[in-house]
């Protein structure tokens, strides 16, 4: 399928969290392919650097900024490093996420708190840092990679994940409302099951996969590049009147 770059993000600075692999990596590469300078965050320094190197091979400027998005001090330091590297910030993609699997009946509190800290508090911390910079510029775009699990599609044994993703959707709308005054657009993207390391265990469960696939009108799982393609559009001026929306990228599984 041809998803070659049709957007021009030259002179734009984009920061993608959790971009060492999976969807975040695809988003970083998509922006790099459109000429953006890309700040590549991941908790894992080696994978962040690997993605940054892949972006550079596409001809883009890219720098790895390893940090735990749940750590307020580390996030502030990361944005200070971004300031030192580039004089502006045009797009933030809050993508970093974790998905522990536990029954509510014996969910470890630590896993619950860590999931909310990474998926939701991490989104807040990075948004706060980015929005301060974007307000000074008078424009910017923030994209939150949520999930259909946070809207209308309960998964199973993923209560902390679903709660954090629903939180991201609510936060997106609140942020879109508040930050519009500064020319900042904020949207959420809610993928269905996308082929990444996160869903490897899920995809190995043949019975569950058969059931899941039978409920997807397009009849297949998604690819990370298909999520990245929506990010490019939402970040572009083609979407200049679009804010506060949670977009499904799920092959039609949820039409609500
Ligand atoms: P993934 O393959 O597990 O990649 C997530 C990346 O985030 C990993 O590189 C991970 O680093 C990094 N990360 C984890 N915790 C972090 C932290 N505290 N700070 C910075 N980076 C951190 O997941 P994915 O499938 O690409 O998912 C990306 C996003 O899409 C997540 O928010 C996920 O919830 C959402 N999503 C995915 C799907 C899907 O089907 N794949 C569906 C709906 C929504 P390590 O590997 O080193 O831990």
């Amino acid at each position: 399928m041809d998803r070659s770059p049709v957007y021009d993000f030259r002179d734009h600075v984009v920061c993608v969290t959790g971009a060492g692999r999976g969807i975040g990596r695809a988003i970083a590469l998509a922006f790099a392919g459109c000429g953006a300078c890309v700040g590549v965050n991941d908790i894992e320094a080696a994978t962040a650097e690997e993605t940054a190197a892949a972006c550079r091979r596409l001809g883009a400027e890219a720098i790895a900024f390893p940090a735990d998005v749940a750590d307020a001090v580390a996030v502030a330091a990361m944005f200070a490093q971004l300031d030192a590297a580039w004089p502006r910030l045009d797009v933030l993609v809050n993508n970093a996420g974790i998905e522990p699997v536990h029954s509510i009946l014996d969910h470890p509190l630590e896993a619950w708190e860590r999931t909310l800290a990474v998926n939701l508090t991490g989104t807040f911390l990075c948004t706060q840092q980015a929005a301060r910079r974007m307000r000074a510029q008078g424009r910017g775009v923030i994209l939150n990679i949520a999930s259909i699990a946070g809207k209308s599609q309960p998964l199973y044994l993923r209560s902390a994940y679903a709660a954090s993703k629903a939180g991201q959707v609510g936060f997106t709308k609140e942020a879109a409302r508040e930050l519009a005054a500064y020319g900042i657009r904020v949207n959420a993207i809610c993928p269905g099951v996308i082929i990444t390391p996160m869903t490897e265990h899920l995809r190995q469960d043949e019975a569950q996969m058969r059931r899941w696939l039978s409920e997807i009108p397009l009849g297949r799982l998604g690819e990370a590049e298909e999520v990245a393609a929506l990010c490019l559009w939402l970040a572009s001026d083609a979407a200049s009147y679009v804010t506060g929306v949670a977009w499904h990228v799920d092959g039609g599984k949820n039409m609500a």
Side-chain angles (χ1 to χ4, degrees):
M1 198 175 292
D2 179 16
R3 294 192 201 97
S4 54
V6 288
Y7 300 100
D8 185 355
F9 284 103
R10 280 174 297 178
D11 302 324
H12 285 61
V13 178
V14 178
C15 176
V16 186
T17 69
R21 67 183 202 187
I23 293 171
R25 185 178 197 277
I27 294 169
L29 289 170
F31 278 106
C34 295
C37 301
V38 186
V40 179
N41 161 267
D42 201 276
I43 196 165
E44 180 66 49
T47 58
E49 180 47 43
E50 200 283 317
T51 298
C55 290
R56 290 193 291 268
R57 285 196 292 277
L58 294 176
E61 269 184 55
I63 302 175
F65 297 102
D68 178 351
V69 297
D71 178 339
V73 173
V75 167
M78 175 175 88
F79 277 84
Q81 289 163 14
L82 270 159
D83 290 341
W86 295 298
R88 51 183 300 111
L89 177 63
D90 299 282
V91 181
L92 166 70
V93 185
N94 285 306
N95 167 81
I98 55 172
E99 187 198 37
V101 181
H102 298 286
S103 162
I104 291 169
L105 300 176
D106 50 19
H107 204 303
L109 178 58
E110 195 180 302
W112 174 271
E113 291 181 338
R114 179 68 183 155
T115 307
L116 290 172
V118 174
N119 298 2
L120 187 52
T121 307
T123 294
F124 158 70
L125 291 172
C126 293
T127 295
Q128 184 177 59
Q129 291 288 338
R132 288 173 179 162
R133 288 155 174 84
M134 291 170 177
R135 178 180 58 179
Q137 294 165 188
R139 60 176 286 147
V141 172
I142 297 173
L143 302 175
N144 298 324
I145 309 300
S147 168
I148 56 171
K151 284 195 76 189
S152 49
Q153 180 60 53
L155 300 172
Y156 183 57
L157 301 179
R158 289 166 174 81
S159 54
Y161 182 76
S164 71
K165 294 294 167 179
Q168 273 186 307
V169 171
F171 177 75
T172 296
K173 295 178 183 190
E174 191 66 27
R177 178 109 197 200
E178 181 183 336
L179 301 177
Y182 310 116
I184 302 170
R185 293 187 293 107
V186 189
N187 286 280
I189 294 174
C190 297
V193 177
I194 308 297
I195 301 167
T196 70
M198 180 181 274
T199 55
E200 206 170 320
H201 60 287
L202 189 73
R203 286 182 281 116
Q204 279 162 4
D205 183 338
E206 278 185 29
Q208 195 172 345
M209 265 305 97
R210 257 198 310 278
R211 202 169 49 247
W212 192 273
L213 282 169
S214 73
E215 293 169 1
I216 300 175
L218 288 182
R220 62 176 176 83
L221 302 183
E223 294 173 20
E225 290 73 16
E226 293 176 299
V227 180
L230 180 56
C231 290
L232 293 181
W233 177 69
L234 283 170
S236 77
D237 286 343
S240 54
Y241 201 50
V242 178
T243 195
V245 183
W247 298 83
H248 294 175
V249 185
D250 65 352
K253 183 160 174 35
N254 289 266
M255 298 199 181

